[in-house]
Amino acid sequence: MGEIRYVRGDATSPQAKGVKVIAHVCNDLGGWGKGFVLAVSRRWDAPERAYREWHRKRATNDFGLGAVQFVQVEPYVHIANMVAQRGIKRGSKGVPIRYDALGECLQRVGRRALELDASVHMPRIGCGLAGGRWSEVEPLVERHLVGPGVPVTVYDVG
């Protein structure tokens, strides 16, 4: 079994050869405007457009917690918009991250990465605005990505 590789850098500039999937957490409200998505939008406009349309047409698609939307932005780069955050604020139900939904998302990302023979790249997903703890997220990444054989790189802004 492999392990997660930790590097300093920008997850929107993945350091690997071959096909790459950049995974990040989105909320279930259709909001896109804070956190890592700003770095994604500075680089490509398609992921935000696709996410907003996916949310707008949610009555007729799979948008919701646990769902993933894949958007190809370059010949060898795909963005995984993972819906694993309930709302955007901490409240009586705790932080916005939903670990069960994140697990479902990562399982879907893992399957797609294996189909594409891709590596997965991410910031410390769910641990910024979503309020999660890496000690809870890391085992999910290991179970759903590293365990099945997907190479994973986690980027810390240097």
Side-chain angles (χ1 to χ4, degrees), residues 7-87:
V7 300
R8 291 210 177 283
D10 178 359
T12 67
S13 297
Q15 302 171 16
K17 293 191 183 327
V19 180
K20 296 162 280 293
V21 175
I22 300 171
H24 71 105
V25 169
C26 299
N27 64 64
D28 65 349
L29 297 178
W32 180 292
K34 288 187 175 180
F36 182 71
V37 298
L38 295 178
V40 171
S41 290
R42 274 193 297 275
R43 187 116 189 212
W44 308 282
D45 60 354
E48 178 180 357
R49 275 198 333 266
Y51 170 78
R52 290 187 184 280
E53 182 173 345
W54 187 33
H55 177 262
R56 198 168 38 255
K57 296 181 177 177
R58 65 191 176 279
T60 59
N61 63 38
D62 67 343
F63 184 93
L65 287 171
V68 180
Q69 178 187 54
F70 294 93
V71 182
Q72 188 167 358
V73 293
E74 293 178 13
Y76 296 101
V77 180
H78 302 256
I79 303 295
N81 291 334
M82 304 186 302
V83 183
Q85 183 180 322
R86 167 75 66 187

Side-chain angles (χ1 to χ4, degrees), residues 82-148:
M82 304 186 302
V83 183
Q85 183 180 322
R86 167 75 66 187
I88 55 173
K89 298 198 182 331
R90 295 171 193 250
S92 60
K93 294 196 170 35
V95 295
I97 189 70
R98 294 295 179 261
Y99 296 112
D100 55 341
L102 182 58
E104 289 178 49
C105 290
L106 289 170
Q107 194 170 36
R108 288 183 166 94
V109 169
R111 280 198 301 266
R112 178 62 65 90
L114 289 170
E115 289 169 9
L116 295 170
D117 193 25
S119 54
V120 173
H121 303 263
M122 63 181 71
R124 290 189 188 236
I125 55 172
C127 297
L129 296 171
R133 291 189 313 273
W134 188 247
S135 61
E136 301 280 331
V137 173
E138 186 181 46
L140 296 173
V141 172
E142 289 172 344
R143 180 178 323 131
H144 297 297
L145 298 177
V146 177

